[in-house]
Amino acid sequence: MIRILAFAFCFFAAAMPSGETNSQGSGARVAQELVARLDQALVKSNQGLIKGNLILIRRSGETWSWDVSIFRKEEDTLYLFESSGRGLEYKILVKDEGEQIYAFNVLSKKIFRKVDEEKYESHLATGFSFIDLSGVSYQANYNPIVQSDLKAADRNYKRVSLKPIIPYFYSKLILLLDLETLKPSRLDFHDRDGVLFKTMNIKYGPVKVKQNQKVNKEEHASRLEMLDLNTGSISVLEYTEIDKEVKPDPSLFDLANLNR
């Protein structure tokens, strides 16, 4: 449904008289290209098996960590979260690029379907919501507007404001890209009242990639650091390996198999 509305928006924008929208249309294209860089930078576009770690650091200094395995095939994704003390704790099944999100609590053996605002609930008390982890396309679900450049911490950034096509909880996102490289550097999240409540810093580094029986190191947005301003906690999602040789069986993404 979201993708359909996004398509309709682009269609009507393209259908407007060129004399009235020439400069605005050019700005919109630039904004869309900048947001596309965010989608491309995140490893959600990779197929196969992605391994990583999720760490939650509370304000008190208490730390929780999980090993993360992500199986991805076309528009479907399955997350597995394991801790050293409890083993497999949680599964998240994402279908149709975030249109459907299901969560399975292994300890309670219950499956929950996340709809509408429930998709924006915190996962495992971290700063990452279910929608953040879903791999949903920012370009397809937000209307971007390029705003004035910004200088912070002796670095210059391109600033893009993103308005959701269908607002549920995020009223606005602010994307900062390095002015020289145009690499996405930070994403600020504002709640339904327009208040900034969390910010994600995007760090780049080498990630081991297996493909065609070879192992190489490739630069990716390998570390996502989410600061929750309400709780003071920091959540870090770090990717360590991408195995493109893994071909997940379609049954892995079957809802009937989620509780197995």
Side-chain angles (χ1 to χ4, degrees):
M1 180 64 180
I2 294 177
R3 291 198 296 272
I4 294 174
L5 289 174
F7 174 80
F9 172 83
C10 295
F11 174 81
F12 286 118
M16 293 178 67
S18 58
E20 298 179 9
T21 62
N22 187 37
S23 61
Q24 294 180 6
S26 176
R29 286 195 297 273
V30 171
Q32 287 286 348
E33 290 170 1
L34 293 175
V35 178
R37 287 177 174 269
L38 175 62
D39 284 331
Q40 294 165 1
L42 301 176
V43 298
K44 63 186 181 184
S45 61
N46 288 280
Q47 303 284 308
L49 171 62
I50 303 169
K51 293 184 178 181
N53 304 289
L54 176 62
I55 301 173
L56 169 62
I57 306 171
R58 298 184 184 274
R59 178 181 290 173
S60 63
E62 186 180 18
T63 301
W64 299 81
S65 63
W66 297 267
D67 292 327
V68 184
S69 298
I70 309 168
F71 294 91
R72 185 166 291 125
K73 185 178 179 65
E74 297 178 354
E75 297 183 348
D76 296 341
T77 304
L78 177 67
Y79 282 84
L80 305 179
F81 296 86
E82 301 179 69
S83 66
S84 57
R86 297 183 175 181
L88 181 63
E89 285 190 37
Y90 221 93
K91 296 181 182 181
I92 299 177
L93 176 62
V94 181
K95 299 186 71 66
D96 302 326
E97 294 185 343
E99 292 288 340
Q100 302 177 60
I101 300 178
Y102 300 91
F104 175 57
N105 187 322
V106 177
L107 302 180
S108 66
K109 301 187 183 302
K110 293 182 178 180
I111 296 177
F112 303 91
R113 182 176 181 182
K114 301 297 180 178
V115 297
D116 300 336
E117 291 188 4
E118 295 174 342
K119 294 181 178 181
Y120 296 82
E121 294 174 349
S122 170
H123 171 58
L124 291 173
T126 69
F128 293 95
S129 69
F130 291 96
I131 198 70
D132 296 337
L133 298 173
S134 69
V136 65
S137 169
Y138 290 103
Q139 188 180 14
N141 292 284
Y142 288 84
N143 293 326
I145 301 173
V146 177
Q147 298 182 326
S148 59
D149 296 343
L150 174 69
K151 185 172 183 178
D154 296 326
R155 293 180 62 184
N156 294 316
Y157 297 95
K158 180 70 70 176
R159 187 171 184 263
V160 181
S161 177
L162 292 84
K163 293 282 189 178
I165 294 175
I166 300 180
Y168 283 116
F169 186 78
Y170 297 157
S171 63
K172 178 178 66 175
L173 305 181
I174 298 294
L175 171 64
L176 297 183
L177 304 96
D178 184 272
L179 192 59
E180 293 184 3
T181 65
L182 292 182
K183 282 186 176 181
S185 298
R186 196 177 85 192
L187 191 62
D188 293 336
F189 299 79
H190 296 74
D191 63 19
R192 58 168 59 90
D193 296 321
V195 177
L196 173 65
F197 75 104
K198 66 180 183 180
T199 184
M200 182 174 73
N201 290 302
I202 304 171
K203 307 292 185 180
Y204 295 83
V207 176
K208 183 167 65 174
V209 178
K210 294 182 180 180
Q211 188 175 20
N212 300 326
Q213 298 182 339
K214 295 181 180 180
V215 179
N216 297 304
K217 289 289 186 72
E218 298 179 4
E219 184 177 81
H220 285 275
S222 58
R223 185 180 174 93
L224 307 179
E225 302 174 351
M226 188 76 81
L227 171 61
D228 189 326
L229 300 177
N230 291 330
T231 65
S233 68
I234 299 175
S235 305
V236 180
L237 179 59
E238 187 168 20
Y239 303 109
T240 57
E241 180 181 327
I242 301 172
D243 192 340
K244 297 183 179 181
E245 295 182 351
V246 173
K247 307 297 181 185
D249 190 275
S251 63
L252 198 63
F253 309 98
D254 220 342
L255 178 59
N257 296 326
L258 188 59
N259 60 350
R260 296 182 179 177

